[in-house]
């Protein structure tokens, strides 16, 4: 097909009614476009949509779950009994494991695996080009790696380690004892900040990825809004941590 198009364009270039200069530009333009179309392989097209699915899943359902997780753990502000009652209610529902796997586990798994691909194949130029977005790109990747380790260990300590123990769920006192070592406190402080930053800055990059914030003004407004969200959610998360101490 590409050979046929090339022959057709060559015939157009030789058409006497078209000036040589115009026909040469005409031919060059279309050959470039055809070349770009040819190099847009099926794998490249798939990567395009995988990248957008990756960014969207970071906001919904993963980001929404982070917000809900903070809200649920905020019951610790009301004391051990309220928190334990909420855990018993959630863990007593037969639908909970299904929702945890389908709406939380699988999206996080895809987001994490594809995120590692992006980290491995991407290039950071924040040292050579000291621009704001370059630094945000670097911190987004770094926070993602930290959050990945944090989430895995957090899920294991608070959920997976209780599998097989009939009638036993995480309690307020379990969390309190878990936070007693100094290293555990710092691990959770760093993990919370990394997860919150990755989510809030991810909203900003998602808006750009999907072409919602195109102009510089809209991108600056989105950056300010997400920085505000980062501060609010960070304080919220650290206050929850303090409630268990």
């Amino acid at each position: 097909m590409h050979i046929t198009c090339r022959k057709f364009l060559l015939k157009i270039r030789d058409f006497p009614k078209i000036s040589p200069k115009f026909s040469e530009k005409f031919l060059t333009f279309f050959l470039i476009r055809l070349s770009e179309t040819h190099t847009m392989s099926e794998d490249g097209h798939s990567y395009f949509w995988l990248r957008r699915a990756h960014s969207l899943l970071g906001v919904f359902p993963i980001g929404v779950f982070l917000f809900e997780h903070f809200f649920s753990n905020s019951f610790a502000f009301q004391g051990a009994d309220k928190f334990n009652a909420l855990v018993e209610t959630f863990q007593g529902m037969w639908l909970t494991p299904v929702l945890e796997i389908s709406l939380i586990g699988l999206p996080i798994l895809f987001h994490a695996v594809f995120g590692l691909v992006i980290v491995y194949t991407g290039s950071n130029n924040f040292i050579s080009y000291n621009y704001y977005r370059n630094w945000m790109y670097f911190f987004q990747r770094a926070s993602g790696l930290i959050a990945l380790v944090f989430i895995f260990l957090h899920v294991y300590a608070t959920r997976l380690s209780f599998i097989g123990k009939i009638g036993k769920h995480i309690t307020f006192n379990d969390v309190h004892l878990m936070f007693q070592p100094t290293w555990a406190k710092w691990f959770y402080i760093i993990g919370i900040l990394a997860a919150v930053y990755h989510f809030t800055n991810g909203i900003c990059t998602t808006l750009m990825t999907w072409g919602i914030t195109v102009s510089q003004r809209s991108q600056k407004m989105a950056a300010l809004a997400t920085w505000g969200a980062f501060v609010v959610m960070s304080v919220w998360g650290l206050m929850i941590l303090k409630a268990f101490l």
Side-chain angles (χ1 to χ4, degrees):
M1 179 178 177
H2 289 89
I3 296 175
T4 305
C5 291
R6 182 182 178 87
K7 289 181 178 179
F8 174 73
L9 292 172
L10 288 172
K11 289 181 180 180
I12 291 178
R13 186 184 65 175
D14 296 333
F15 197 79
K17 293 185 179 180
I18 302 177
S19 66
K21 186 177 293 186
F22 173 81
S23 60
E24 188 66 31
K25 291 181 179 179
F26 181 82
L27 174 65
T28 303
F29 171 79
F30 273 93
L31 286 179
I32 291 174
R33 297 304 300 165
L34 285 172
S35 176
E36 290 176 350
T37 304
H38 179 68
T39 54
M40 179 60 75
S41 62
E42 184 178 346
D43 291 339
H45 186 71
S46 299
Y47 182 84
F48 174 86
W49 287 108
L50 285 173
R51 187 68 180 264
R52 273 145 184 77
H54 172 264
S55 64
L56 185 61
L57 287 174
V59 178
F60 180 83
I62 299 173
V64 174
F65 170 71
L66 177 63
F67 186 86
E68 186 281 327
H69 197 54
F70 276 24
F71 177 79
S72 298
N73 281 276
S74 294
F75 276 71
F77 296 139
Q78 304 178 42
D81 292 338
K82 289 287 186 178
F83 177 81
N84 293 338
L86 179 70
V87 173
E88 287 292 335
T89 300
F90 276 158
Q91 299 305 324
M93 297 170 57
W94 67 269
L95 194 59
T96 297
V98 178
L99 296 176
E100 287 179 335
I101 294 173
S102 60
L103 294 181
I104 303 170
L106 292 179
I108 288 178
L109 180 62
F110 170 79
H111 191 81
V113 172
F114 196 76
L116 291 174
V117 172
I118 295 175
V119 170
Y120 180 76
T121 58
S123 59
N124 290 309
N125 56 356
F126 63 94
I127 296 177
S128 301
Y129 302 97
N130 192 19
Y131 297 123
Y132 171 79
R133 288 314 312 174
N134 292 339
W135 279 102
M136 294 303 99
Y137 179 90
F138 168 74
F139 286 125
Q140 182 70 2
R141 281 18 180 191
S143 63
L145 293 174
I146 296 172
L148 178 60
V149 175
F150 169 72
I151 291 171
F152 175 79
L153 294 177
H154 172 68
V155 171
Y156 176 80
T158 60
R159 190 74 175 93
L160 298 180
S161 61
F162 289 91
I163 294 179
K165 299 178 181 179
I166 301 176
K168 174 62 177 174
H169 307 299
I170 189 78
T171 65
F172 185 98
N173 189 58
D174 292 330
V175 181
H176 172 74
L177 294 175
M178 185 173 64
F179 287 156
Q180 292 312 297
T182 302
W183 66 264
K185 296 184 185 71
W186 281 106
F187 176 76
Y188 265 80
I189 289 172
I190 295 172
I192 289 171
L193 294 177
V196 171
Y197 174 82
H198 193 74
F199 165 56
T200 54
N201 186 65
I203 294 175
C204 195
T205 57
T206 298
L207 293 175
M208 290 188 290
T209 299
W210 284 86
I212 298 174
T213 54
V214 179
S215 65
Q216 289 187 353
R217 183 174 181 274
S218 62
Q219 291 177 8
K220 287 181 179 179
M221 291 178 64
L224 289 173
T226 52
W227 271 116
F230 168 74
V231 173
V232 171
M233 290 195 69
S234 294
V235 172
W236 187 11
L238 296 178
M239 287 178 63
I240 293 172
L241 173 63
K242 185 180 179 181
F244 285 105
L245 299 180

